[in-house]
Amino acid sequence: MNILFRYHLGLILVALAVVPGCTPDAGPAETKAPAVPVATRQEPAPPPDSPPPLDAIANMAPNFVASTNEPFWTVSVQDRAVVLTGLEGKRVMQLQSNEALFDGRNVIAIDALGRVEVRVTPRACQDSMSGENFPFTARVTVDQEAPVLGCARAQ
């Protein structure tokens, strides 16, 4: 047989094998039951305390309290004011920004003496002195000193 003829014959046989009910030895075409929709698998809802997906803005309230040890700072963020309390006393500062980020919240406040910046992330934290557990980790920078790590909770 001619090579071209065998090539075309092979294509025809492949086509017949692929199309159901068209093979040379096939009987009547099978009747299939109508397709029944398959239930899609629903992912279970995450537990209420689970962290958000990494690409979602963290669901953190804009008002919170952060505290650090050595130096001992407490930063209370409430509406348009930030209160910084430490061994030197209390400073009421004007809120410059309170920005929700994909992995937490960043707050900047100023007063006549300087600036405080607080970065809070939704990571569990345990106070190194009291052993108390908090839902958030904080990094507090006061007047451009070195940042101090601490814990935070919603207010």
Side-chain angles (χ1 to χ4, degrees), residues 60 64 95 97-101 104-108 115 117-120 139:
M60 293 181 57
F64 61 87
L95 183 67
S97 70
N98 188 343
E99 182 180 15
L101 305 172
R105 187 165 284 282
N106 196 63
V107 172
I108 298 173
R115 156 189 165 124
E117 183 171 355
V118 184
R119 178 86 159 101
V120 180
R139 183 185 72 213

Side-chain angles (χ1 to χ4, degrees), residues 31-154:
T31 58
K32 293 186 179 180
V36 177
V38 178
T40 57
R41 182 175 171 210
Q42 297 272 337
E43 291 296 323
D49 294 335
S50 69
L54 292 178
D55 60 349
I57 290 180
N59 186 17
M60 293 181 57
N63 298 335
F64 61 87
V65 175
S67 58
T68 66
N69 294 322
E70 298 178 21
F72 298 98
W73 295 109
T74 299
V75 181
S76 176
V77 178
Q78 193 167 23
D79 299 323
R80 298 293 306 158
V82 174
V83 178
L84 174 67
T85 307
L87 297 176
E88 297 83 24
K90 181 189 276 188
R91 291 166 56 182
V92 178
M93 307 177 85
Q94 180 183 1
L95 183 67
Q96 290 294 300
S97 70
N98 188 343
E99 182 180 15
L101 305 172
F102 76 95
D103 65 343
R105 187 165 284 282
N106 196 63
V107 172
I108 298 173
I110 60 169
D111 67 1
L113 299 175
R115 156 189 165 124
V116 66
E117 183 171 355
V118 184
R119 178 86 159 101
V120 180
T121 55
R123 292 186 190 103
C125 181
Q126 185 175 44
D127 186 280
S128 60
M129 295 188 100
S130 71
E132 184 179 356
N133 291 315
F134 292 84
F136 306 115
T137 299
R139 183 185 72 213
V140 178
T141 306
V142 177
D143 299 328
Q144 298 186 14
E145 295 292 323
V148 181
L149 294 179
C151 300
R153 63 174 171 74

